[in-house]
């Protein structure tokens, strides 16, 4: 049975991400801030997509916690499997990628990712909520409970599909509006863009493998055993 403390933690994290999504949605009422969300609205930014992703994941996790306490572990195997798949292939890799990619580019040259003018629009606490706190929260989830990982082929394929979908959206928004989602893209040639996207995929795939290693280190091999052929 899921520990009460774990249930409470997951509920608090879900409440936090729900609050962040709501708070950001209210930014559209400001006369200045809507400019940030023009040409693709909020859903062009990986940072904000990640906040939605984390909200969905912790919503599923809380539901899993509650149902386990009511029905028991065996009756909700599908939900638990979906929770683990969502964490392994998206929730952990994307949140860690956003944290690392943002701060690496920010420390190198913040104008490539987060121009200084945004400091007058976005509070410092919100910047850290979106780009800093996401990492320790997802790391605690690794430590707090085991997650069953799919095969590397399945996990990396699903991650690649999500990555390609986002790249297509970035390119589509550029061709539709003539504006890149992030300033760094405007500095790159076609070859540079291809290299950037390729390296980005290798980076996030490496994060996926890191998550699998951390899970194995803390909990042992949690992958589902393959059925033997008769």
């Amino acid at each position: 049975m899921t520990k009460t403390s774990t249930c409470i933690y997951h509920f608090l994290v879900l409440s936090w991400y729900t609050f962040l999504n709501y708070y950001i949605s209210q930014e559209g009422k400001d006369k200045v801030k809507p400019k940030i969300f023009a040409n693709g609205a909020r859903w062009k930014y990986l940072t904000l997509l990640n906040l939605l992703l984390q909200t969905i994941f912790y919503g599923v996790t809380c539901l899993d916690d509650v149902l386990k306490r009511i029905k028991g572990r065996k009756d909700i195997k599908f939900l638990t499997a979906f929770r683990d798949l969502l964490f392994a292939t998206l929730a952990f890799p994307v949140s860690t990628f956003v944290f690392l990619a943002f701060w690496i580019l920010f420390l190198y040259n913040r104008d490539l990712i987060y121009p200084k003018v945004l400091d007058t629009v976005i509070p410092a606490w919100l910047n850290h909520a979106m780009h800093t706190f996401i990492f320790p929260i997802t790391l605690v989830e690794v430590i707090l409970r085991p997650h069953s990982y799919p095969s590397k082929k399945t996990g990396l394929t699903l991650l690649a599909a999500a990555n390609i979908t986002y790249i297509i959206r970035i390119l589509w928004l550029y061709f539709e509006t003539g504006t890149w989602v992030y300033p760094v893209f405007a500095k790159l040639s076609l070859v540079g863009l291809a290299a950037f996207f390729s390296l980005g995929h290798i980076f996030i795939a490496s994060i996926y493998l890191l998550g699998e290693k951390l899970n194995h280190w803390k909990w042992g091999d949690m992958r589902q055993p393959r059925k033997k052929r008769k």
Side-chain angles (χ1 to χ4, degrees), residues 6-75:
T6 301
C7 295
I8 293 173
Y9 170 77
H10 286 148
F11 177 75
L12 290 175
V13 174
L14 172 62
S15 299
W16 170 245
Y17 279 124
T18 301
F19 163 73
L20 288 179
N21 279 283
Y22 174 76
Y23 181 89
I24 293 170
S25 71
Q26 298 306 300
E27 301 298 86
K29 296 180 180 180
D30 189 291
K31 293 182 179 180
V32 177
K33 293 176 183 178
K35 295 179 181 180
I36 303 173
F37 302 130
N39 301 329
R42 294 191 296 144
W43 310 123
K44 63 182 179 180
Y45 298 112
L46 186 60
T47 293
L48 301 186
L49 288 171
N50 177 58
L51 292 182
L52 178 62
L53 170 64
Q54 300 304 318
T55 305
I56 293 172
F57 168 70
Y58 282 100
V60 172
T61 299
C62 283
L63 180 60
D64 181 77
D65 289 343
V66 171
L67 291 180
K68 276 181 179 175
R69 297 182 71 85
I70 296 173
K71 295 186 175 183
R73 189 176 300 272
K74 293 182 179 179
D75 295 332

Side-chain angles (χ1 to χ4, degrees), residues 108 139 225:
Y108 174 72
L139 198 59

Side-chain angles (χ1 to χ4, degrees), residues 80-166:
T80 301
F82 176 68
R83 179 206 68 190
D84 288 347
L85 185 67
L86 189 59
F87 180 77
T89 60
L90 290 176
F92 178 82
V94 174
S95 61
T96 305
F97 178 85
V98 169
F99 167 75
L100 292 174
F102 176 83
W103 287 112
I104 288 172
L105 287 173
F106 186 94
L107 293 173
Y108 174 72
N109 182 357
R110 66 171 298 172
D111 288 332
L112 295 177
I113 190 74
Y114 195 83
K116 197 169 185 178
V117 66
L118 292 180
D119 289 342
T120 62
V121 179
I122 299 175
W125 72 264
L126 183 57
N127 179 28
H128 285 291
M130 295 187 298
H131 299 117
T132 306
F133 301 151
I134 54 174
F135 180 65
I137 289 174
T138 200
L139 198 59
V140 167
E141 182 63 20
V142 173
I143 298 170
L144 193 62
R145 66 153 36 139
H147 294 276
S148 180
Y149 269 67
S151 67
K152 281 187 175 62
K153 181 179 179 181
T154 299
L156 291 174
T157 298
L158 291 173
L159 181 61
N163 190 35
I164 291 171
T165 300
Y166 183 63

